[in-house]
Amino acid sequence: MTATPALLDCLEIPTGPNPTHAVIWLHGLGADGNDFAPIVPELRLGSSPAVRFVFPHAPVQPVTINGGMAMRSWYDILVTDLVRREDAAGIRQSEAAVRALIKRENERGIPTSRIVLAGFSQGCAMTLHTGLRLEEKLAGMIGLSGYLPLLDIATSERHTANADTPIFLAHGTFDPVVQLERAQASLALLQSLGHDVRWHTYPMPHSVCAPEIQDIAGFLREVLAASA
């Protein structure tokens, strides 16, 4: 039996006392949990249920495409096109770490059905990878400027629990880091499997913009209300 991984260090921001919902937000390569913390007040969730935003810090490890420099990373990046060679072992290790964070929210009284999994870039990859395989339904998934890794085996490994879970996918049309075509290939697979994908593009590079934040807020209000 695989041992449960040690819980990752996290920054936590509740929007009110006694949160009934949670958003676990995974950062991108070389960043940390503080990267998206400023987005919480910008979402202006207002009358939505109280939410615990959880921003975990990925482990520090060498990254091949960055000359082996050690940085926070959910898995190793081996080639610039991201998918010709993939760090399957690293991806699965981080999947276990994300599952452990979901389990902790369950133990704190928040069922998986009231959890949104979100992420940017590598964090998006881990959101989609983990969310498709979870045995319990999530409230929603948010994937920003990323892609679905291990694309060729995602269909055979996915679980039906999140077959109709709403998925917010967004990408910049000028993204030089994760090419738009990579995200479109992920979108095409998800749509072919019947997933409820809300696809958005914005005229931006590998980043986040104000209209996108407004769209994320609308999506969050929808799925939080639906799961309340």
Side-chain angles (χ1 to χ4, degrees), residues 1-218:
M1 179 179 290
T2 304
T4 301
L7 278 172
L8 296 171
D9 289 335
C10 301
L11 171 68
E12 295 187 2
I13 303 176
T15 64
N18 305 313
T20 57
H21 294 66
V23 176
I24 300 174
W25 200 304
L26 311 175
H27 63 75
L29 177 67
D32 65 19
N34 295 288
D35 197 34
F36 275 89
I39 204 172
V40 175
E42 293 183 42
L43 293 170
R44 298 177 181 173
L45 294 179
S47 60
S48 294
V51 180
R52 179 185 295 115
F53 279 84
V54 179
F55 298 98
H57 308 303
V60 175
Q61 56 188 309
V63 176
T64 299
I65 62 162
N66 289 342
M69 184 183 300
M71 62 187 65
R72 291 199 182 276
S73 177
W74 296 107
Y75 52 90
D76 195 9
I77 302 288
L78 302 169
V79 288
T80 54
D81 74 359
L82 304 174
V83 296
R84 196 161 25 93
R85 290 172 55 219
E86 295 186 86
D87 176 20
I91 291 169
R92 295 191 190 282
Q93 188 172 4
S94 282
E95 176 192 348
V98 175
R99 284 175 173 269
L101 292 175
I102 293 171
K103 181 181 178 183
R104 181 176 65 170
E105 291 310 306
N106 297 159
E107 292 168 348
R108 293 200 280 191
I110 299 178
T112 305
S113 61
R114 292 184 176 181
I115 296 174
V116 175
L117 203 52
F120 175 81
S121 195
Q122 260 202 343
C124 167
M126 289 312 310
T127 290
L128 296 177
H129 171 88
T130 307
L132 292 187
R133 290 164 173 79
L134 278 180
E135 298 81 10
E136 293 185 330
K137 181 177 174 60
L138 291 158
M141 293 179 240
I142 298 173
L144 312 176
S145 301
Y147 63 103
L148 174 61
L150 306 179
L151 195 68
D152 56 338
I153 58 174
T155 300
S156 62
E157 291 189 356
R158 76 181 185 126
H159 194 280
T160 56
N162 284 288
D164 60 353
T165 298
I167 303 174
F168 180 100
L169 279 189
H171 214 90
T173 53
F174 307 121
D175 192 330
V177 178
V178 179
Q179 298 289 332
L180 180 62
E181 292 77 12
R182 187 69 57 225
Q184 289 171 328
S186 302
L187 169 66
L189 177 68
L190 291 169
Q191 288 179 328
S192 74
L193 295 172
H195 288 279
D196 175 13
V197 184
R198 324 291 177 81
W199 171 249
H200 302 259
T201 57
Y202 307 90
M204 64 178 185
H206 194 63
S207 59
V208 178
C209 63
E212 180 182 23
I213 292 172
Q214 293 176 2
D215 291 337
I216 293 169

